[in-house]
Amino acid sequence: MLELIKAVGLGLVVLLPLANPLTTVALFLGLAGDMNYQERNRQSLQASVYVFIIMAVAYYAGNVVMDTFGISIPGLRIAGGLIVAFIGFRMLFPQQEAGHSMEAEHKLDEMSERKSVNIAFVPLAMPSTAGPGTIAMIISTASTIHSGTPFAPWIITVAPVLTFFAVSLILWACLRSSGAIMRLVGKGGIEAISRLMGFLLVCMGVQFMINGTLEVITTYHAG
């Protein structure tokens, strides 16, 4: 049991800096400003479940999926960077929603049909928490863990699932506490956080693409 705890702790040390739940909380603050309490809690739970599923699939089937479709780690980083940058641009330069226009204010039937946007999978789960860096780390670890590890085979089987569950639980707890932060900073503060996070996401997306391009260049020269 002590070895299992040690393996899970090692996994958390590796994954938490990459997943960075606090960054996801800041992103959630910027995107969930108009949601009510129940909707925020539902999105928080969904995002946590999605993160667990993404990490589990990346660990157990990541290499097979990427080899089947011919996707490389640099390609994964560049694609993730494009998604992150696109989301960042939309947060940095938000468009006026149709439901906020003057015409919609006088049409109660149209307003009643408006549905809240689901942000649980994109961008909270992916690419904010289980992003290209996290997925790449999980896939590379899964491909090498069976060859040189001091842990018993049953620990290698059980520890990844417990580690992914722990990361998802930490994310859920952080997102649930974001409601208190929303009430504290107010709507103006939420908009400011949204613009700031948009700028940071653009920078992160560009950096992801740079890293992926550098990996391609390095692999090309090495070959």
Side-chain angles (χ1 to χ4, degrees), residues 25-33 91 182 190-191 193-195 197:
V25 170
L27 181 62
F28 186 59
L29 288 174
L31 293 175
M91 292 177 62
M182 286 185 174
I190 295 298
E191 291 181 356
I193 292 174
S194 178
R195 298 293 179 91
M197 284 307 303

Side-chain angles (χ1 to χ4, degrees), residues 54-72:
I54 292 170
M55 289 183 172
V57 170
Y59 182 81
Y60 291 106
N63 282 299
V64 175
V65 172
M66 293 183 69
D67 291 341
T68 301
F69 291 98
I71 303 172
S72 64

Side-chain angles (χ1 to χ4, degrees), residues 62-125:
N63 282 299
V64 175
V65 172
M66 293 183 69
D67 291 341
T68 301
F69 291 98
I71 303 172
S72 64
I73 296 296
L76 184 69
R77 292 187 186 277
I78 294 175
L82 289 171
I83 296 173
V84 171
F86 176 73
I87 295 170
F89 273 117
R90 293 193 63 176
M91 292 177 62
L92 193 58
F93 306 105
Q95 297 179 351
Q96 186 184 28
E97 298 182 13
H100 290 169
S101 64
M102 186 63 67
E103 294 82 1
E105 293 294 337
H106 299 287
K107 296 180 182 178
L108 296 179
D109 55 336
E110 291 183 10
M111 292 293 286
S112 63
E113 293 177 0
R114 289 179 58 209
K115 297 180 180 179
S116 58
V117 179
N118 193 308
I119 59 174
F121 189 80
V122 178
L124 295 184

Side-chain angles (χ1 to χ4, degrees), residues 74 78 207-221:
I78 294 175
Q207 189 61 52
F208 280 151
M209 288 185 280
I210 291 174
N211 293 342
T213 304
L214 289 177
E215 290 182 28
V216 171
I217 295 174
T218 302
T219 304
Y220 175 78
H221 282 291

Side-chain angles (χ1 to χ4, degrees), residues 161-181:
V161 177
L162 294 179
T163 303
F164 302 151
F165 178 77
V167 172
S168 302
L169 189 62
I170 292 172
L171 174 65
W172 176 78
C174 291
L175 292 179
R176 280 297 296 265
S177 64
S178 64
I181 303 175

